[in-house]
Structure formats: structure tokens, C-alpha cells
């Protein structure tokens, strides 16, 4: 027996009264799991069904690490110029303006200082939404200035990498940021101030070739892509089939390039534990 009977044939609702399902109510993970977006947000953007870590940006990481989401942003108005007058299908300034309007960000990294478990911490967090988290002059300069702040104030430094590599629109100027940030981290090490590097999905190209792998402790989120060249490029270059999970954080950990992998919910506690141990201070609860 049918549960209901339709009295009239066809759909009778007038067009103006029809309602679409609002976008963003559900999120589908790569494994096919369907998650309510409100539940996903409550779970720090990690799928409770399969543990998939959704890509998030500086806003979410600042909320995660800074106590009560209270912090002071550093050099927040720094923006890129176009000294090379670069143009492909668009002029570089046009791409910058479009990215700024779309994301509400000035560039692909934000830096800030605040309390984390009650102690000062400087954080530089990259945003993949801004031109693929590409590393240009502003990214290198903001990271360098954040490290300077750490040195001047004797404050530990946390770098959260999420990048597709160097920004092609700035050519050699972009590549110079590898040298600049690495030199600044050497100064940080000379000052005996701890540096924790957190690699998230994806951490590739020039970021991996510089600051992302220079931490006193290098850690990552689960299943993050961590590489210099992506797996497709490596496969095409070598002509060989790659091992399963190649360049994912678990593979990288197994081969000695990482010190640990931690779920997002454990990151704040684990980073601060490392900082206490490095500085030989009482471990915070």
C-alpha cells in the first residue's frame, strides 16, 4: 500500500514559490562521506566520518591556536607591487585585486602575536585561497618581519604552511624569498628561540625548499601533501609508478622528513608541549 496518494498529476507549485536548497548545508569528503557543514565547523573542519582534514585558512588557525581568538595582527596592510610589469592573460595587479576582493585578504600569509595556553606566540599562517598560497615578496617580507618580532621579543615562532610554491608573476623576486626567510630563521636559531613548522595540505614548491622544513620540530596534519614537485610531475619525469600515498604526510614521516603527525584538535596542545620541552619549562596542562 502506498504511503500517500497524489490527487493531482504533475507538480502544481507556482515557479515563484519554489525554493532551492541553500548552498553549503552539506560537505562531501573525497571518500564520499556527507557531512553537515555546521557539524563540520564544530569539529574544526575535520570530518567525523573519515577523519578528512578540510583545507582551512589563517582565520581558522588563529581561532584554533590563540586563546579566546585574541591576537594582534602584524603588518596587516602590506601589499604586493608589480616591479616586473608581469602579464599573462591578465595583468598581475588585476590578479591581485581580484584575489583581494574574493578572499578579503591582502596576500597569501597573515602574521600575528597572541597568547596560546597563556604564553606569547608569534604565528605566520598561509592562505591557499589567495592565488594558491603562492609565495611572493609580501609573503617573504611578512614572514621575515614576524621572525624579527620573535627575536626582538624573545617569543617562539610557529609557521603554518599551505602553499603551491613560488609566485610565478614575481619570477626571481619570488625565489629570493627562500633565501630571505631561511636567513631570518638562522638568526632565530642563533637567538635560541624555538621554531615549530606545521605543514598542512598542500605544502609544496619553494615553501618546502625553505622555511617549511627548517623547524626545530617539523609536524603535519594527516594526509597532507608535502613535496617539492607534485606527484604528477614526478611521475611524468621519472616514468615510474609511484608508491601508494607518495608525498602524503604519513609517507614523509616514514621517510624521516617529519617529526610527527597530529590531528587538528590536538595541534594547540602538542605545539605548546614542544615549546615547553624545548625551552626546558614546566609543561602546561
Amino acid at each position: 500500500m502506498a504511503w500517500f496518494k497524489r490527487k493531482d498529476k504533475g507538480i502544481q507549485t507556482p515557479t515563484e514559490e519554489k525554493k532551492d536548497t541553500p548552498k553549503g548545508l552539506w560537505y562531501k569528503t573525497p571518500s564520499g562521506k556527507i557531512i553537515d557543514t555546521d557539524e563540520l565547523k564544530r569539529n574544526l573542519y575535520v570530518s567525523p566520518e573519515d577523519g578528512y582534514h578540510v583545507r582551512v585558512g589563517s582565520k581558522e588557525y588563529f581561532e584554533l591556536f590563540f586563546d579566546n581568538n585574541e591576537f594582534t595582527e602584524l603588518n596587516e596592510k602590506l601589499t604586493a607591487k608589480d616591479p616586473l610589469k608581469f602579464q599573462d592573460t591578465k595583468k598581475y595587479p588585476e590578479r591581485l585585486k581580484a584575489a583581494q576582493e574574493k578572499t578579503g585578504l591582502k596576500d597569501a600569509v597573515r602574521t600575528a602575536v597572541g597568547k596560546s595556553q597563556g604564553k606569547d606566540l608569534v604565528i605566520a599562517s598561509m592562505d591557499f585561497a589567495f592565488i594558491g598560497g603562492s609565495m611572493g615578496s609580501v609573503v617573504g617580507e611578512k614572514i621575515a618581519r614576524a621572525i624579527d618580532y620573535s627575536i626582538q621579543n624573545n617569543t617562539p615562532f610557529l609557521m603554518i604552511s599551505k602553499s603551491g610554491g613560488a609566485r610565478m608573476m614575481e619570477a626571481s623576486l619570488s625565489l629570493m624569498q627562500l633565501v630571505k626567510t631561511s636567513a631570518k630563521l638562522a638568526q632565530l636559531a642563533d637567538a635560541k628561540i624555538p621554531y615549530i613548522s606545521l605543514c598542512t595540505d598542500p605544502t609544496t614548491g619553494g615553501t618546502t625548499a625553505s622555511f617549511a622544513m627548517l623547524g626545530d620540530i617539523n609536524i603535519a596534519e594527516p594526509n597532507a601533501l608535502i613535496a617539492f614537485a607534485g606527484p604528477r610531475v614526478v611521475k611524468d619525469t621519472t616514468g615510474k609508478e609511484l608508491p601508494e600515498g607518495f608525498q602524503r604526510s604519513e609517507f614523509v614521516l616514514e621517510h624521516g622528513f617529519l617529526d610527527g603527525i597530529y590531528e587538528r584538535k590536538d595541534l594547540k596542545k602538542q605545539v605548546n608541549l614542544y615549546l615547553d620541552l624545548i625551552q626546558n619549562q614546566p609543561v602546561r596542562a
Side-chain angles (χ1 to χ4, degrees), residues 72-89:
T72 300
E73 190 164 351
L74 306 173
N75 305 295
E76 59 182 312
K77 296 183 179 180
L78 208 61
T79 55
K81 301 295 183 182
D82 183 27
L84 303 180
K85 305 302 179 185
F86 185 91
Q87 180 176 350
D88 46 18
T89 56

Side-chain angles (χ1 to χ4, degrees), residues 84 86-89 92 95 131 134-136 164-175:
L84 303 180
F86 185 91
Q87 180 176 350
D88 46 18
T89 56
Y92 182 35
R95 290 194 181 278
I131 314 181
S134 52
M135 180 183 58
R167 187 172 298 173
M168 60 171 285
M169 290 78 88
E170 295 188 22
S172 59
L173 295 177
S174 177
L175 297 177

Side-chain angles (χ1 to χ4, degrees), residues 25-30 33-37 40 52 54-55:
L25 290 179
W26 307 96
Y27 181 86
K28 186 176 182 179
T29 70
K33 302 295 183 182
I34 306 296
I35 313 297
D36 177 78
T37 52
L40 190 67
Y52 177 73
V54 178
R55 288 178 184 173

Side-chain angles (χ1 to χ4, degrees), residues 68-280:
N68 303 315
N69 196 28
E70 295 176 355
F71 58 87
T72 300
E73 190 164 351
L74 306 173
N75 305 295
E76 59 182 312
K77 296 183 179 180
L78 208 61
T79 55
K81 301 295 183 182
D82 183 27
L84 303 180
K85 305 302 179 185
F86 185 91
Q87 180 176 350
D88 46 18
T89 56
K90 284 184 180 181
K91 292 181 179 180
Y92 182 35
E94 292 177 2
R95 290 194 181 278
L96 286 171
K97 183 179 180 181
Q100 289 168 350
E101 291 176 349
K102 180 180 178 181
T103 63
L105 302 167
K106 293 295 185 182
D107 214 287
V109 71
R110 291 172 69 206
T111 55
V113 59
K115 301 286 186 183
S116 186
Q117 287 194 346
K119 290 188 177 181
D120 286 340
L121 178 64
V122 175
I123 301 178
S125 179
M126 302 189 76
D127 284 280
F128 194 78
F130 194 99
I131 314 181
S134 52
M135 180 183 58
S137 299
V138 168
V139 169
E141 182 65 16
K142 290 185 75 170
I143 293 172
R145 292 188 188 187
I147 296 170
D148 282 339
Y149 184 97
S150 288
I151 295 172
Q152 293 163 7
N153 295 275
N154 195 30
T155 304
F157 179 61
L158 169 65
M159 181 73 226
I160 304 174
S161 298
K162 187 186 297 285
S163 173
R167 187 172 298 173
M168 60 171 285
M169 290 78 88
E170 295 188 22
S172 59
L173 295 177
S174 177
L175 297 177
M176 289 294 291
Q177 308 314 308
L178 281 73
V179 181
K180 179 196 290 183
T181 53
S182 298
K184 283 297 180 182
L185 288 172
Q187 293 177 0
L188 190 72
D190 289 342
K192 300 188 185 304
I193 296 173
Y195 165 43
I196 307 294
S197 175
L198 169 59
C199 300
T200 67
D201 184 56
T203 298
T204 62
T207 54
T208 312
S210 56
F211 52 81
M213 283 296 169
L214 295 177
D216 298 313
I217 301 290
N218 297 321
I219 60 176
E221 290 183 335
N223 200 41
L225 175 65
I226 302 171
F228 179 68
R232 178 183 58 81
V233 175
V234 175
K235 182 178 180 180
D236 290 346
T237 303
T238 62
K240 297 181 179 180
E241 288 297 320
L242 303 177
E244 185 176 353
F246 179 67
Q247 294 183 330
R248 292 291 167 176
S249 50
E250 291 77 11
F251 184 94
V252 178
L253 174 66
E254 183 180 344
H255 289 79
F257 285 90
L258 288 175
D259 298 300
I261 298 172
Y262 302 100
E263 293 187 16
R264 195 168 287 160
K265 63 182 176 65
D266 298 323
L267 284 174
K268 181 176 181 179
K269 180 179 179 181
Q270 194 63 47
V271 165
N272 283 292
L273 172 61
Y274 278 134
L275 293 175
D276 289 339
L277 294 175
I278 292 171
Q279 297 177 103
N280 196 27

